[in-house]
Amino acid sequence: MTASPWSHARNPSLADDIDFEIKGQELQFVEIELDPGESAVAEAGAMVWKDAAVGMTTVFGDGRGAEGGFMGKLLGAGKRLVTGESLFTTVFTHNGSGKARVAFAAPVPGAILPMKLDELGGTLICQKDAFLCAAKGVSIGVHFQRKVMTGLFGGEGFIMQRLEGDGWVFVQMGGTVVERELAAGEELHVDTGCLAAYTPSVEFDLVSAGSVKTMVFGGEGVFFARLRGPGKVWIQSLPFARLAGRVIATAMPMGGQNRGEGSLLGGLGNLIDGN
C-alpha cells in the first residue's frame, strides 16, 4: 500500500488519512485501505468491490457531511450538476474493526493519478470528468474560464472541475499521462482536448494553431491551449472524446473523423476545425 505520512491523530477538519494502491496498466483501478471510521467518496457507479465492513451512503454533493447544512449540500450538488456530473456521490465508510478495503475503477483506458492536494497548494483544476474518488473531506467544485474565447474553444468549455482540500484525490486521464513542471514565464502549447489538469498558478489561454491553411487542413483545430508557468501541467494522450470520435468514425465511416473534440459548437465546430 502507498501510505500517507500524516498521523491519524489529526485536526478533524482535514480530509481522512487514507492508504491506497493503484493496480493494473491500461485499465487501472485504485484500492483504498480504510481504518475504522475513515471514509472515501466516489462517483456513482465507480466501485468495483468492497469488504463487507465498508458501508455505502448516497449523498448530495461531495459528501462532506453536515458542513454548511442543507443549503451547503444543495450548493455542492448544484456545482456537480453544472460540471455535467450526477447530483449524488457515494460515501464509503469503514464501520468495523481492523482494516477494510474498497476499490474503484476508471471507465476508460488510461491512468489513475493520485494527487496529494496539500502538496499542490490545496487546489487542482482538471477536466470535467476527471474526478474518480477521494478521501472524504475533499471539496469538488467548479472552475469557470473567465475569457470567452478560452471558454468556447478551450477543450473543456467554460466549466472545469476544481478540487480543493489537503488530502488524496484520484483523477482519471486517458491514454498515457505526462506531467510537466513549467518555470515562471515558460510556455507550453497543447492540443485543447489533451489538457487534463493544471495547478491554479498556471495561466491558461489560447493561441492560434497557425496560418489559415494550417487551421483548415492541418487537422488539429483552430487553437492550441497555451499554458504559461510557473506551475504543473498534466497532459493526456487519449482524450475520451477523441476515442469516442474514432469509434463512431469506424462504425459510421461516412461520419468522418472528429478531431475537434475541444469545440463546443458541434457541426459548426467541425467545419471550423477542417472536418
Side-chain angles (χ1 to χ4, degrees):
M1 290 288 176
T2 302
S4 167
W6 291 2
S7 167
H8 289 275
R10 56 177 176 79
N11 187 321
S13 66
L14 301 179
D16 281 1
D17 181 15
I18 60 175
D19 300 330
F20 65 90
E21 183 178 2
I22 294 175
K23 298 182 177 180
Q25 298 298 323
E26 289 79 15
L27 296 170
Q28 295 186 331
F29 69 92
V30 56
E31 183 181 286
I32 294 177
E33 184 178 83
L34 301 173
D35 289 325
E38 286 185 341
S39 299
V41 58
E43 287 290 352
M47 189 199 79
V48 179
W49 59 267
K50 69 179 183 66
D51 288 335
V54 177
M56 297 172 54
T57 306
T58 300
V59 297
F60 269 120
D62 51 24
R64 287 183 294 164
E67 181 179 341
F70 174 76
M71 291 305 297
K73 294 179 182 179
L74 189 61
L75 179 60
K79 288 179 178 179
R80 290 178 51 76
L81 187 63
V82 168
T83 59
E85 304 291 349
S86 167
L87 284 173
F88 301 93
T89 55
T90 305
V91 177
F92 297 81
T93 303
H94 181 10
N95 298 317
S97 59
K99 302 284 187 178
R101 295 176 176 84
V102 58
F104 307 100
V108 295
I112 298 175
L113 268 65
M115 304 282 197
K116 192 71 178 303
L117 290 178
D118 65 336
E119 297 175 356
L120 300 174
T123 302
L124 179 71
I125 298 170
C126 54
Q127 59 182 334
K128 289 183 292 185
D129 56 355
F131 173 75
L132 177 64
C133 59
K136 186 177 179 182
V138 170
S139 170
I140 309 164
V142 178
H143 177 77
F144 291 95
Q145 297 296 345
R146 297 179 180 178
K147 298 181 180 179
V148 174
M149 291 300 290
T150 304
L152 285 175
F153 299 99
E156 297 303 328
F158 289 103
I159 303 168
M160 300 179 75
Q161 284 184 334
R162 187 180 187 92
L163 307 177
E164 295 180 292
D166 46 43
W168 288 104
V169 62
F170 303 90
V171 292
Q172 53 198 4
M173 300 180 185
T176 301
V177 179
V178 174
E179 177 184 322
R180 289 286 302 269
E181 177 86 39
L182 300 181
E186 182 181 1
E187 283 192 11
L188 181 67
H189 295 176
V190 181
D191 180 278
T192 54
C194 294
L195 174 60
Y198 59 96
T199 54
S201 59
V202 173
E203 180 183 343
F204 174 30
D205 204 345
L206 295 178
V207 62
S208 170
S211 66
V212 174
K213 181 179 179 181
T214 300
M215 289 188 289
V216 173
F217 299 105
E220 299 300 337
V222 178
F223 300 103
F224 293 139
R226 177 171 60 188
L227 305 162
R228 182 181 292 113
K232 290 186 176 182
V233 176
W234 288 265
I235 304 165
Q236 59 184 359
S237 66
L238 184 62
F240 176 71
R242 179 175 295 177
L243 174 62
R246 293 298 176 89
V247 172
I248 293 172
T250 301
M252 298 182 295
M254 295 301 294
Q257 292 182 343
N258 180 16
R259 295 297 301 275
E261 66 273 359
S263 176
L264 294 182
L265 302 183
L268 178 59
N270 289 337
L271 178 62
I272 294 174
D273 290 346
N275 292 314

